[in-house]
Amino acid sequence: MVRPIVKDPIFLAQKSSPATADDLDVGRDLLDTLEAHRDGCVGMAANMIGVAKRIIVFDEEGAARLMFNPEIIRREGPYSTEEGCLSLPGTRPAKRYRSIKVRYQNEQFQVRLKAFTGFTAQIIQHEVDHCDGIVI
């Protein structure tokens, strides 16, 4: 189900709580909402659709990916960039890393580790910031 985008910076600044298997429908709604906004959006966090849980979706080379409870455990190659957000107008400066390693849970809530680079890594960092209550 496509959900409306939350634009309240006070809500977005709250840290999200861990996702559980009861949140699978939120993940599916997040995928549907990302697809509905694909023309101007490459990633979303659950708080962007009004659910303060650690769930993100992002575009990885044309395919939408879903992560529950993502945690960046390694960062390499810092750089500065400007980012926009579907929840907020305009762009803002952000510090990002060219390479990251993420620990997360898949849809069966199995723990996985995966490395990401380039633009995909940047998207994931932005969405994990959302989970941590960091408004970009």
Side-chain angles (χ1 to χ4, degrees), residues 7-82:
K7 298 181 184 268
D8 178 2
I10 294 170
F11 179 79
L12 295 170
Q14 297 174 31
K15 285 190 175 187
S16 296
S17 56
T20 68
D22 291 335
D23 298 311
L24 282 171
D25 285 342
V26 175
R28 290 185 193 100
D29 289 351
L30 203 52
L31 286 165
D32 291 345
T33 306
L34 176 64
E35 183 60 34
H37 293 277
R38 190 166 285 283
D39 60 334
C41 184
V42 292
M44 300 183 81
N47 66 352
M48 294 175 66
I49 60 169
V51 181
K53 293 287 188 146
R54 292 189 68 85
I55 309 168
I56 67 170
V57 295
F58 57 95
D59 180 277
E60 183 180 23
E61 299 178 10
R65 303 288 181 222
L66 174 61
M67 289 182 172
F68 293 90
N69 301 311
E71 178 187 0
I72 299 170
I73 59 172
R74 190 187 80 227
R75 297 167 172 85
E76 294 177 356
Y79 67 98
S80 296
T81 189
E82 290 259 329

